[in-house]
Amino acid sequence: MLGCFNEHFIVSGLLFDSLNTSHQNHPKGNSHDHSGVSNSFSFKPLSVSEVHKALTLLDIRKSAGPDNLEPYFLQLASDFIAPPLTYLFNLSLDTNEIPLIWKSAFVFPLLKGGDPTVLNNYRPISKLSVLAKVMETLVNEQLKEFLTINNILSNFQSGFRKKHSTTTAALKVVNDFIDSLDKKQHCAALFIDLSKAFDTVDHAILKQRLLSVGLSEHTVCWFDNYLSGRSQCVQADGLTSSPLSISKGVPQGSVLGPLLFILYINNLDQNVSNANFHFYADDTVIYCSASTPNQALCQLQLAFDTVQRTLFDLKLVLNDDKTKLMLFSNAKSKSRNLLPITTSQGSEIESVSQFKYLGILIDDSLSFKPHIQQLVKKLKLKLGFYFRNKSCFSFEAKRRLVAATFLSVLDYGDVIYMNASITSLKLLDTVYHGALRFITNFRALTHHCSLYDRVGWSALSTRRLNHWYIFIYKAILGLLPPYLQSYIEKKSTGRYCLRSEDLLLLSVPQVRTELGKGAVKYAASCTWNQLQNVLNLKEPVSLVDFKLLLNNM
């Protein structure tokens, strides 16, 4: 059985070739212009202190990889092994040779969802040698620094980047949808899904991409060695399959894999006009706005056609079944005779009224009612399990359990759905209070204020508002992606607009509708100015000090 999994994962990397047998491999350079890159990128020699720090930061809870070296013992011996490891890592970077054991992987088949008997519903997660991941971490830091300094990555790529997250990406996309509707426009959005995206990366094309963004030939040779000669075996329940060679893809579970994939698709939005993009690794959304639905759909089709040609050049395969279309409109009745969005093979993309984007269920009316209902359903299942086993836990254990598995679910994306209707948000309060009763053993009719006092937690509305305050302040401090910081309007001098000579206030843009008041550019400024009535900040303070101010309010 494990051998079947391994063969399936290996064959998945050849998906494009199996569907396009006549396609010839002619790697194309990255068509983004990076002539402004100051210098080509070459590895800097690693220092003993860097290696030592990486060893001390190892997660000792993780198990060993193919080299059977446990993270715990590597961390314990970090003072003694850092110098020889530094020598080995630098030797690898100088000679472009990586030990074969560091390029082998134990793969765990992770069920993504759906029928567990269908192999396509499993994702291969690679467990690599710990020392390989230590070296990858140090290489990754150098490469990311080069990409950031030279502004090489797309401005709308949020995957695996500092200051970026799934929340910032989803908030950006939702804000743009709201902005279009506030301007009385119709917005058509296409959520693109790729089949086995990480597994089908073509190594020849990837190497050409690396050269084109400014990596030196010597550096690309190291990555060539990193990608070639890899092998994997599937390991589960104490059993291990026979190893097989890998000729495609970047290893999932590795440190460098996500960054290499981002570079691979970095020009996916090139040659596309009248359309907006956002990426989170391989999660891609394209959206267009226009005065009529069909105009928006027509623009979207043109953009989609260009993207499909780029995907073909990259040997990536579109998943027609999971790619979905959504139309956002203020119209009270649905438009008829809408133009379909079709693939290059002629199949029509399904139009839906809801789509889960980066963990947030977006509906076509942007009410977030379906998302909250789904959250409540999920949390009620947890709550039922908690109450059935409440005798097994102490007060503190129950408190920690709920904080880790319940609050984390409520907190995720709360700044996105916080403007949902009061009726919807009250559904969350109900399950939240149920979780507090589980912790405290208080009766069902106990007032929620008593629950808050006993557990030491605030109301959900207060919790959401504090998250929103911190989010806005991060934008003020420059700790969010530029695509969100741009919503905080500034004067041409670079200072924030001031309504008073004493207080730091933000300018509030005009909006046309109630829905528009939920857009980041409006809501952030209004919320901040209201908060300033209490804080009276005259100049920015550190984020830590700001959080202390919030706690003392």
Side-chain angles (χ1 to χ4, degrees):
M1 181 62 184
L2 296 183
C4 293
F5 268 116
N6 204 19
E7 290 178 9
H8 170 73
F9 292 146
I10 296 295
V11 171
S12 295
L14 305 175
L15 180 61
F16 180 89
D17 296 330
S18 64
L19 296 175
N20 302 274
T21 54
S22 62
H23 183 77
Q24 298 296 317
N25 183 16
H26 295 296
K28 297 187 178 183
N30 192 332
S31 42
H32 276 309
D33 179 15
H34 295 300
S35 57
V37 175
S38 56
N39 294 296
S40 65
F41 172 77
S42 295
F43 293 124
K44 301 174 185 175
L46 300 174
S47 66
V48 174
S49 60
E50 288 177 310
V51 174
H52 183 269
K53 181 180 178 181
L55 291 170
T56 58
L57 293 176
L58 285 174
D59 186 350
I60 59 176
R61 296 171 298 178
K62 297 291 181 68
S63 58
D67 58 3
N68 291 319
L69 293 174
E70 296 282 350
Y72 173 77
F73 294 107
L74 291 172
Q75 186 186 84
L76 194 66
S78 58
D79 292 343
F80 304 98
I81 65 175
L85 279 181
T86 304
Y87 175 80
L88 288 176
F89 291 164
N90 284 327
L91 185 64
S92 171
L93 299 178
D94 289 339
T95 62
N96 297 327
E97 290 289 338
I98 301 173
L100 287 177
I101 191 66
W102 291 0
K103 296 193 287 184
S104 60
F106 291 151
V107 173
F108 176 76
L110 178 66
L111 181 64
K112 297 183 293 183
D115 188 350
T117 63
V118 178
L119 293 179
N120 278 332
N121 290 335
Y122 289 84
R123 171 178 294 155
I125 301 300
S126 299
K127 183 191 293 182
L128 303 173
S129 298
V130 178
L131 292 182
K133 297 191 75 169
V134 171
M135 183 169 67
E136 283 190 46
T137 299
L138 299 171
V139 167
N140 190 60
E141 290 175 358
Q142 289 192 19
L143 182 55
K144 274 190 173 181
E145 181 183 10
F146 168 78
L147 297 173
T148 301
I149 290 174
N150 291 284
N151 195 30
I152 290 173
L153 296 180
S154 169
N155 292 330
F156 300 106
Q157 171 62 261
S158 293
F160 309 102
R161 301 176 68 180
K162 287 183 180 179
K163 303 181 183 179
H164 297 67
S165 66
T166 52
T167 298
T168 64
L171 193 60
K172 161 65 177 173
V173 171
V174 169
N175 178 83
D176 289 353
F177 294 161
I178 292 174
D179 192 47
S180 295
L181 297 185
D182 184 61
K183 294 176 180 176
K184 306 297 183 181
Q185 291 185 317
H186 304 264
C187 183
L190 193 65
F191 297 90
I192 293 178
D193 187 85
L194 301 177
S195 296
K196 310 295 181 183
F198 277 59
D199 301 326
T200 54
V201 168
D202 185 90
H203 294 170
I205 298 175
L206 175 57
K207 286 183 286 185
Q208 189 64 32
R209 287 281 186 267
L210 297 177
L211 284 170
S212 66
V213 299
L215 273 63
S216 68
E217 291 188 8
H218 180 83
T219 304
V220 174
C221 285
W222 185 88
F223 279 105
D224 185 19
N225 188 270
Y226 170 82
L227 294 166
S228 62
R230 303 195 76 91
S231 63
Q232 69 178 40
C233 56
V234 173
Q235 192 178 67
D237 296 327
L239 301 175
T240 304
S241 71
S242 300
L244 293 175
S245 298
I246 306 169
S247 60
K248 299 276 187 179
V250 292
Q252 298 198 44
S254 66
V255 178
L256 282 171
L259 183 58
L260 292 176
F261 182 82
I262 288 172
L263 284 169
Y264 191 72
I265 64 165
N266 198 41
N267 70 333
L268 194 59
D269 59 345
Q270 200 200 346
N271 299 323
V272 177
S273 57
N274 299 321
N276 295 301
F277 284 77
H278 207 91
F279 308 93
Y280 192 92
D282 59 328
D283 286 295
T284 302
V285 57
I286 316 172
Y287 46 102
C288 301
S289 299
S291 56
T292 68
N294 276 338
Q295 285 180 356
L297 289 166
C298 185
Q299 292 177 16
L300 186 60
Q301 181 68 68
L302 292 173
F304 186 39
D305 291 341
T306 303
V307 167
Q308 288 182 92
R309 289 192 291 270
T310 304
L311 290 175
F312 186 82
D313 290 338
L314 293 175
K315 293 191 175 184
L316 296 175
V317 179
L318 179 77
N319 189 331
D320 300 0
D321 294 334
K322 293 186 178 180
T323 297
K324 303 298 181 184
L325 169 69
M326 283 186 72
L327 183 64
F328 300 89
S329 174
N330 280 320
K332 294 182 180 180
S333 59
K334 291 187 176 180
S335 303
R336 298 180 180 179
N337 302 318
L338 294 176
L339 296 173
I341 298 294
T342 58
T343 68
S344 55
Q345 283 74 37
S347 58
E348 185 174 329
I349 298 298
E350 180 186 6
S351 179
V352 296
S353 58
Q354 302 172 13
F355 186 84
K356 179 167 281 190
Y357 176 65
L358 300 178
I360 302 294
L361 188 61
I362 300 175
D363 59 285
D364 55 7
S365 62
L366 297 174
S367 68
F368 296 101
K369 182 178 179 179
H371 176 74
I372 292 174
Q373 290 174 337
Q374 188 181 78
L375 274 184
V376 169
K377 182 179 179 180
K378 181 178 180 180
L379 293 172
K380 280 184 175 179
L381 290 175
K382 288 180 180 287
L383 204 54
F385 173 80
Y386 293 163
F387 273 104
R388 287 192 296 271
N389 298 276
K390 65 179 182 179
S391 61
C392 302
F393 303 101
S394 64
F395 173 86
E396 186 57 31
K398 288 188 286 188
R399 189 176 183 274
R400 292 173 63 182
L401 175 67
V402 171
T405 65
F406 205 91
L407 277 184
S408 59
V409 176
L410 286 169
D411 288 346
Y412 179 73
D414 60 356
V415 297
I416 301 173
Y417 67 76
M418 65 182 296
N419 292 316
S421 68
I422 296 176
T423 303
S424 294
L425 293 175
K426 281 185 177 180
L427 297 175
L428 293 176
D429 288 334
T430 301
V431 292
Y432 178 56
H433 295 158
L436 297 182
R437 284 194 295 273
F438 159 73
I439 298 173
T440 60
N441 286 327
F442 285 178
R443 294 180 179 180
L445 297 180
T446 304
H447 195 273
H448 54 262
C449 289
S450 299
L451 298 173
Y452 299 153
D453 290 340
R454 178 70 180 92
V455 180
W457 293 347
S458 62
L460 278 185
S461 57
T462 304
R463 192 177 181 89
R464 285 191 296 267
L465 191 57
N466 281 344
H467 292 163
W468 183 226
Y469 288 152
I470 293 170
F471 196 87
I472 299 168
Y473 197 65
K474 283 183 177 180
I476 293 175
L477 294 181
L479 299 178
L480 290 183
Y483 56 72
L484 288 180
Q485 287 177 206
S486 64
Y487 296 137
I488 305 297
E489 294 188 10
K490 304 176 182 179
K491 287 184 176 180
S492 58
T493 59
R495 295 184 179 179
Y496 298 93
C497 300
L498 300 177
R499 292 183 182 175
S500 163
E501 292 183 358
D502 296 323
L503 298 183
L504 178 63
L505 301 172
L506 305 179
S507 63
V508 181
Q510 291 185 344
V511 293
R512 298 176 175 84
T513 63
E514 282 300 312
L515 179 63
K517 292 180 180 179
V520 175
K521 63 180 183 181
Y522 180 90
S525 299
C526 282
T527 303
W528 174 256
N529 290 346
Q530 291 170 4
L531 180 63
Q532 276 288 62
N533 292 330
V534 179
L535 293 183
N536 298 318
L537 282 180
K538 298 180 181 180
E539 58 184 22
V541 296
S542 71
L543 184 60
V544 173
D545 289 340
F546 179 74
K547 290 179 179 179
L548 290 175
L549 289 173
L550 291 182
N551 291 334
N552 294 329
M553 282 175 54

